[in-house]
Amino acid sequence: MFNKVLIANRGEIAVRILRACRELGMQVVAVYSEADRQALHVRYADEAYLLGPAPSRESYLLGDKIIEIAKKSGAGGIHPGYGFLAERADFAQSCFDNKLAFIGPKPSAIAAMGDKRAARSTVSSAGVPVVPGTEGEGDLRDDELLAIAPSIGFPLLIKASAGGGGKGMREARSLAEMPELIHSARREAEASFGNGNVYLEKVIEGARHIEIQILGDHFNNVIFLGERECSIQRRHQKLLEESPSPFIGDDDELRQKMGDVAVRAAQSVGYTNAGTIEFLIDKDRNFYFLEMNTRLQVEHPLTEFVTGIDIVKEQIRIARGRQLRYTQDNIHMNGWAIECRINAEDPYNDFLPSTGKISHILQPTGPGVRIDTGVYPGFEISTYYDSLISKLIVWGETRAEAILRMRRALEEYKIIGIRTNIPFHQNLMDSHRFMGGQYDTRFVEERFSMDNGEGNRENQPEIAAIFATLVAHREYQLASNIVQRGIRDTSNWKWLSRWERMQR
Ligand code: MV4
């Protein structure tokens, strides 16, 4: 049993995990790179250790160094957050070898789900529906892939086994174009993951991306905590998520069916701790397993809002060997939650990353609003890490209330010094298709534009200059009123004496 946790991460998620540790009365050890000396997770921690220079490879990815720091500082558990070391089976194994609790699943479960091709066969054998393709076939050569392709049908997707997130993915519309696409998918996968294996899947068109949150303990209990809808994304980067899914809505039968399947998928690899099963769901409500993420996810606060369960605290309890405090019957979804990822990027300029110093921030607060962030005024946004600077999450009794609340919160949110995608989210909140819940994974790229409304960027410096002039003019007028106090004072005296005469 441990009472000190090392957080092997940075940014908003390091702060999020730190808060859970604090509330559980646990000590916190932070690690940081040279770029993060002033970061919030470092300031709030009980102890903090420098890992090395800013690039991840020389800091947050140094598993051995992190384990060494954990042992030196007396931490008994390591929380990896998401990204960096979170889904490295070898790192999880090396934690166990050093008698440290890895706050996540067993190395074997990470490995089983890490190879997407192998994961498909594993869950498929357990009765989980997968997209028709090359499941149960092992790693295939080009000629074998070409031989199977016609029986799957076109269009089909060539996906990297070690992939995820769309890297090494190619769409083929005919057998003729396949050899070249297989070649380029293999090359990209080899470069990105050091593994050129690929597999095939039929394309599910107009699909939505819905994921199920699960929790498992070391006593064979696995439960699901409802779903999150993640179809609003751009180039495989999620921008907004919500829970419940407007597509599933009040179809509790479908929700239960997907939940049961997700639990079965998790059980097929002896899953423990928090994890997420990703599904594609088509217009006819057929759903298919895509992959499993064996980590805490960025969008976990949505589930926390609608179920009332603190997922990070639950992760720590599970890692400390406790039994789940909930059975499936205890889990109820209440209300609606929406999360906007606030990124340091310019939505008017092809979402180009924006860097610089945040000079001022005004954050929305009030009923039903949560912000998870690792930045503060004076913080410098660099290009070393991802562009997520904060997550704005709102809860409402209904989806309509959540949307109105998100609009209100986005209006209150002011970040000065860098560009952010807040205007994108504001446009999205006003989009009729979004309001109607009618969107799929192609929505942002194919049907959504920043041009409607305030797209005309060219005028903005002029508008700012006119406003600045008006403000200066008004301040000058107010200042001159004070200088001219004498005049008003005289009239005030006159007014007062009249008033006094009236009282006689
Ligand atoms: C698909 C698909 C359609 N059919 N597979 C993209 C990332 C990777 N995790 C899986 N992806 C997809 N796989 C089949 N058989 C469409 C996508 C996809 C997608 C999935 C989830 C969220 C956004 C997406 C955007 C484009 C394509």
Side-chain angles (χ1 to χ4, degrees):
M1 203 73 114
F2 56 91
N3 288 307
K4 197 173 195 178
V5 174
L6 182 146
I7 301 171
N9 216 301
R10 63 178 302 282
E12 63 88 16
I13 198 64
V15 176
R16 165 71 190 91
I17 297 162
L18 186 145
R19 288 177 170 147
C21 294
R22 280 277 176 274
E23 290 176 21
L24 289 170
M26 308 186 82
Q27 298 276 103
V28 174
V29 180
V31 290
Y32 62 97
S33 73
E34 279 166 15
D36 282 335
R37 279 179 189 281
Q38 311 289 325
L40 218 51
H41 75 283
V42 175
R43 291 199 195 179
Y44 284 161
D46 297 294
E47 299 163 54
Y49 296 87
L50 178 68
L51 288 169
S56 308
R57 271 173 212 294
E58 298 168 61
S59 52
Y60 297 104
L61 287 172
L62 295 176
D64 291 342
K65 188 157 187 180
I66 289 169
I67 285 173
E68 192 187 301
I69 292 168
K71 286 169 47 173
K72 195 168 71 185
S73 64
I78 296 186
H79 198 308
Y82 54 71
F84 300 125
L85 300 167
E87 290 173 284
R88 300 277 181 90
D90 53 349
F91 177 72
Q93 184 60 50
S94 130
C95 288
F96 287 114
D97 295 345
N98 285 280
K99 303 202 166 33
L100 296 163
F102 177 79
I103 303 174
K106 291 181 298 193
S108 62
I110 299 176
M113 291 299 185
D115 185 305
K116 309 299 170 189
R117 202 270 314 144
R120 269 166 59 79
S121 338
T122 307
V123 303
S124 174
S125 310
V128 172
V130 298
V131 187
T134 48
E135 63 275 8
E137 299 277 2
D139 292 323
L140 300 172
R141 297 188 311 264
D142 286 19
D143 58 314
E144 295 170 312
L145 293 169
L146 292 171
I148 296 172
S151 68
I152 297 169
F154 294 93
L156 58 73
L157 283 167
I158 303 161
K159 293 188 175 186
S161 300
K167 268 248 174 71
M169 190 166 93
R170 296 287 185 281
E171 182 172 334
R173 262 147 293 154
S174 68
L175 191 62
E177 62 184 32
M178 276 193 68
E180 201 163 321
L181 291 172
I182 292 173
H183 182 71
S184 76
R186 283 196 196 281
R187 208 178 31 205
E188 190 176 314
E190 183 65 52
S192 306
F193 316 110
N195 174 349
N197 287 321
V198 297
Y199 62 98
L200 306 180
E201 268 183 16
K202 190 172 169 50
V203 171
I204 306 295
E205 306 204 53
R208 303 180 65 128
H209 180 205
I210 295 174
E211 57 186 32
I212 305 272
Q213 175 72 52
I214 68 112
L215 280 178
D217 64 14
H218 296 107
F219 304 88
N220 290 319
N221 301 304
V222 181
I223 59 171
F224 70 94
L225 306 182
E227 80 280 8
R228 297 183 290 254
E229 162 90 53
C230 306
S231 301
I232 301 284
Q233 54 82 50
R234 187 182 168 276
R235 300 195 181 157
H236 305 298
Q237 293 292 91
K238 294 171 188 163
L239 289 165
L240 174 144
E241 305 95 343
E242 57 182 315
S243 180
S245 157
F247 186 74
I248 297 182
D250 52 17
D251 188 347
D252 282 322
E253 201 183 310
L254 177 59
R255 176 171 294 116
Q256 184 67 40
K257 237 167 70 187
M258 291 180 78
D260 289 342
V261 164
V263 166
R264 216 176 308 146
Q267 282 168 333
S268 73
V269 296
Y271 201 84
T272 54
N273 218 285
T276 300
I277 315 281
E278 289 185 10
F279 291 102
L280 279 180
I281 182 158
D282 69 18
K283 289 183 209 69
D284 304 319
R285 305 191 161 246
N286 301 305
F287 61 89
Y288 309 92
F289 170 92
L290 252 195
E291 49 194 71
M292 179 171 193
N293 301 317
T294 56
R295 58 161 192 275
L296 179 69
Q297 287 198 255
V298 177
E299 58 272 26
H300 75 277
L302 292 174
T303 304
E304 297 189 319
F305 252 149
V306 297
T307 64
I309 294 172
D310 186 318
I311 294 173
V312 181
K313 277 192 204 164
E314 223 40 51
Q315 282 193 292
I316 296 170
R317 289 196 183 98
I318 292 166
R320 293 174 99 223
R322 300 285 191 83
Q323 214 165 319
L324 276 181
R325 299 185 308 151
Y326 312 90
T327 64
Q328 196 63 55
D329 295 340
N330 301 141
I331 308 302
H332 301 288
M333 291 174 88
N334 177 32
W336 209 283
I338 301 179
E339 170 178 277
C340 288
R341 297 191 185 195
I342 310 299
N343 294 334
E345 58 191 23
D346 186 353
Y348 294 108
N349 192 6
D350 206 26
F351 293 83
L352 203 76
S354 173
T355 58
K357 197 187 212 112
I358 296 178
S359 54
H360 300 279
I361 302 188
L362 257 180
Q363 287 191 333
T365 55
V369 176
R370 166 176 172 179
I371 291 188
D372 280 18
T373 186
V375 307
Y376 52 86
F379 191 82
E380 184 98 22
I381 304 293
S382 67
T383 48
Y384 292 110
Y385 314 109
D386 68 13
S387 62
L388 184 77
I389 51 176
S390 95
K391 303 187 304 208
L392 171 57
I393 313 111
V394 303
W395 179 89
E397 267 179 62
T398 60
R399 185 167 189 264
E401 189 185 42
I403 292 174
L404 292 172
R405 186 163 273 166
M406 182 58 87
R407 265 214 199 123
R408 183 270 286 176
L410 289 165
E411 263 170 45
E412 287 180 22
Y413 214 159
K414 310 282 183 230
I415 301 176
I416 314 293
I418 51 159
R419 299 245 164 84
T420 74
N421 63 353
I422 289 174
F424 165 83
H425 288 299
Q426 287 179 304
N427 271 11
L428 188 58
M429 288 301 124
D430 290 340
S431 139
H432 290 208
R433 292 190 75 94
F434 177 75
M435 274 189 247
Q438 292 165 321
Y439 58 82
D440 60 32
T441 54
R442 296 168 306 188
F443 177 68
V444 175
E445 277 149 295
E446 292 178 16
R447 321 193 72 132
F448 187 78
S449 148
M450 285 299 291
D451 294 339
N452 41 16
E454 51 180 302
N456 196 354
R457 206 141 198 195
E458 267 74 78
N459 285 335
Q460 287 191 354
E462 281 84 349
I463 293 168
I466 291 164
F467 267 104
T469 309
L470 288 172
V471 168
H473 180 66
R474 179 159 164 72
E475 281 180 354
Y476 181 76
Q477 277 191 315
L478 289 173
S480 48
N481 272 350
I482 295 166
V483 172
Q484 295 170 3
R485 189 187 295 154
I487 298 165
R488 198 174 55 189
D489 282 354
T490 316
S491 71
N492 279 358
W493 283 113
K494 273 188 194 157
W495 186 84
L496 188 66
S497 70
R498 270 186 223 140
W499 186 77
E500 280 169 353
R501 269 178 273 144
M502 266 160 54
Q503 304 300 308
R504 268 188 231 136

